[in-house]
Amino acid sequence: MDLFQLTYFIEVAHKKSFTKASKSLHISQPSISKGIKALEENWNVRLFDRNGKNVELTEMGIYLLPKAEALIKEFSQLNEDLKAPSLLNSGKLAVGIPPMVGSSFISPFIHYFTTAYPDIELEIKEVGSQEVISAIDDGVIQAGFVALPITTETPYEFFIFNKECLEVVLWKDHELAKKNQLTLQEIKEEPLVYYPKTFSLNPFIRSFYQELMTDPKIVCQSSNWDFLVEMVRTKLGIALLPETICRRIPDGDVIHIPLTDPQIPWTLAMIWKSKGYLSHPTRTWVQSFKEFFNKRPSRSCR
């Protein structure tokens, strides 16, 4: 038995697939299969039930998984504790940030982090919230940012750092522009400039429309805030944008009005794996981010 075999076991258990584990660990599938087989022979147990491409833990596998995770975590901590302090805050770190989140919230922290930890080589990858999960699963990034809610089978930890409401953005001479607040019932038939499918807001907002037994009348989709606002300016359709973004819209021929019934929250969270190995740069990023945003005034959708 060795630590590599334990790592293979943990990854296959979480991915429920030898193929996905191979892709995540960047190890060939035959090597992973060989490592699992060696573990089973060493322990004289069967760890997985294999049914075609599907893999499920046996009862003994379920019992051994948390013990294997604890061993890997303790060894990783011991290994890093033995390193020189100057090496702890160095290495590479890739973080996934949706384009609609980065410019408004994360940029100040990135400046703080790169200044505080100059020896950590930070790579920022622009990905939508729905793609952040698969990127972490595949080992492309180590942490990321998402707009909740999201669904995932792999255990993750979240740190919510912003929650605010969506507002209705429309042109100044729109027939609803003089209202102090609006309801979804009032705007449900309006043409809507909208978010692409890779954004969690896409299905989330749609669910509120479906409660009214209808679907949004989508006329255009974009992942760019400014482009959505410009499409409203041309009177192509209205938009539903977060308060923070609405406050950035210059005074002129586009206005924003609170949506009060229902209030649709935009909840932002940092996400990272809760099980298995986390590199020291990743743990430094997570802890620094929590401390940075815990010092800032919180926003909420009321």
Side-chain angles (χ1 to χ4, degrees), residues 75-279:
F75 179 82
S76 299
Q77 184 64 55
L78 174 63
N79 189 47
E80 293 199 349
D81 287 346
L82 293 174
K83 290 181 180 179
S86 60
L87 297 178
L88 288 178
N89 290 320
S90 63
K92 295 184 178 181
L93 171 66
V95 177
I97 302 179
M100 288 190 173
V101 174
S103 60
S104 300
F105 297 97
I106 313 303
S107 298
F109 173 71
I110 291 175
H111 178 268
Y112 162 80
F113 185 82
T114 54
T115 301
Y117 302 100
D119 293 328
I120 294 180
E121 184 181 333
L122 178 64
E123 180 181 6
I124 300 298
K125 295 181 178 289
E126 279 200 356
V127 290
S129 287
Q130 303 285 17
E131 297 171 321
V132 165
I133 299 300
S134 60
I136 295 178
D137 283 345
D138 294 341
V140 176
I141 60 177
Q142 290 74 56
F145 296 88
V146 295
L148 301 178
I150 58 169
T151 56
T152 172
E153 295 180 358
T154 306
Y156 284 95
E157 288 191 40
F158 296 88
F159 174 73
I160 294 175
F161 62 93
N162 187 78
K163 185 175 182 180
E164 58 188 69
C165 292
L166 300 185
E167 295 194 350
V168 183
V169 180
L170 62 171
W171 51 96
K172 203 168 187 177
D173 56 353
H174 191 286
E175 61 182 7
L176 297 174
K178 293 184 179 180
K179 294 254 189 178
N180 292 324
Q181 57 188 35
L182 289 167
T183 68
L184 194 58
Q185 181 70 38
E186 291 175 300
I187 66 170
K188 67 178 184 179
E189 299 299 328
E190 294 287 331
L192 188 68
V193 292
Y194 203 52
Y195 306 98
K197 291 181 179 179
T198 55
F199 281 67
S200 57
L201 277 175
N202 181 302
F204 187 52
I205 293 174
R206 191 183 296 271
S207 69
F208 286 89
Y209 274 83
Q210 290 172 344
E211 289 181 7
L212 299 179
M213 306 300 290
T214 188
D215 285 306
K217 308 299 186 291
I218 301 169
V219 293
C220 176
Q221 291 176 291
S222 175
S223 61
N224 185 288
W225 295 128
D226 295 331
F227 183 78
L228 291 175
V229 173
E230 287 306 309
M231 290 301 95
V232 174
R233 197 183 309 278
T234 65
K235 302 183 181 181
L236 178 65
I238 67 171
L240 294 170
L241 301 181
E243 294 174 68
T244 297
I245 305 304
C246 289
R247 291 198 303 271
R248 288 168 41 187
I249 299 175
D251 292 335
D253 49 1
V254 173
I255 64 170
H256 51 95
I257 300 173
L259 181 68
T260 58
D261 185 18
Q263 288 187 326
I264 301 179
W266 188 51
T267 305
L268 301 180
M270 179 174 62
I271 182 174
W272 64 98
K273 277 187 177 181
S274 63
K275 299 290 185 181
Y277 173 70
L278 273 186
S279 69

Side-chain angles (χ1 to χ4, degrees), residues 17-28:
S17 164
F18 281 80
T19 301
K20 291 180 180 179
S22 170
K23 188 176 180 181
S24 175
L25 294 171
H26 303 287
I27 301 294
S28 69

